[in-house]
Amino acid sequence: MEPRIDLMQNELGGKLAKRLFAVHTLLQQTGLSHTTQNLVMLRASQINGCGNCIDIHAKEAAAEGETATRLNLVAGWRHSTVFTEAEQAALALTEEATRLSELPGGVSDETWARAGKYYDEDQLIALVTLIAMINATNRLAVTLNQLGGSYEPGLMSAVAGG
């Protein structure tokens, strides 16, 4: 499978990618921990089958000090002991918000209340925005056949530059 369009080599694609990265940069400045953000982006990308984003977010998380054990268990977080209750709440919200079409009522009140126990209003806004943005990014990458496997940590930072 070959990429359909190289997003970063296309003038419009590059501009749009920079805007998406600008939102990501803003989210990193919120009170939502980078660890939680990395877990959320990795989990949504796993659900969406986005090899490119899985590659990026697993490698970026590892470069920021995330352990291989935790990275390997993200897909099975419900059946592991390595995530905090707050992280589990964020992962539950991620799964429900990513699988909206599979859930008759969308995100459940139970999942929302669970997240609200650990995150304040600003952090919840950041978390929901992060989930929306990674889902949008996954859809771009999967649709355009952006393939995973060759990402090097730190390359995403170059998107914000020129």
Side-chain angles (χ1 to χ4, degrees):
M1 177 173 13
E2 292 293 319
R4 292 180 171 135
I5 296 173
D6 184 334
L7 194 63
M8 297 311 298
Q9 295 301 315
N10 176 278
E11 184 178 349
L12 177 60
K15 288 178 183 178
L16 292 170
K18 287 179 186 179
R19 297 321 186 272
L20 288 171
F21 192 78
V23 172
H24 175 72
T25 301
L26 180 59
L27 288 169
Q28 289 193 328
Q29 299 167 15
T30 68
L32 188 62
S33 79
H34 290 195
T35 298
T36 299
Q37 290 186 44
N38 286 331
L39 295 173
V40 163
M41 290 186 290
L42 180 56
R43 184 63 190 126
S45 299
Q46 290 170 336
I47 292 167
N48 290 320
C50 183
N52 184 57
C53 294
I54 292 168
D55 189 31
I56 290 168
H57 299 301
K59 288 175 179 174
E60 288 291 346
E64 290 182 24
E66 189 59 78
T67 68
T69 298
R70 284 171 43 96
L71 290 174
N72 290 332
L73 287 170
V74 169
W77 65 268
R78 283 185 174 86
H79 301 281
S80 67
T81 60
V82 298
F83 301 103
T84 67
E85 289 183 18
E87 290 168 341
Q88 291 174 33
L91 290 166
L93 183 60
T94 301
E95 289 188 358
E96 288 188 19
T98 298
R99 293 183 165 130
L100 289 175
S101 66
E102 300 170 24
L103 304 170
V107 173
S108 70
D109 290 338
E110 176 184 342
T111 297
W112 184 257
R114 182 179 179 191
K117 287 170 48 176
Y118 301 101
Y119 302 101
D120 65 26
E121 193 171 272
D122 285 348
Q123 291 169 323
L124 286 169
I125 290 169
L127 185 55
V128 170
T129 302
L130 178 67
I131 294 165
M133 294 306 295
I134 191 58
N135 273 281
T137 304
N138 292 161
R139 282 152 177 76
L140 278 167
V142 170
T143 301
L144 297 176
N145 286 338
Q146 305 297 297
L147 305 176
S150 63
Y151 182 77
E152 294 295 328
L155 287 178
M156 287 305 294
S157 296
V159 173

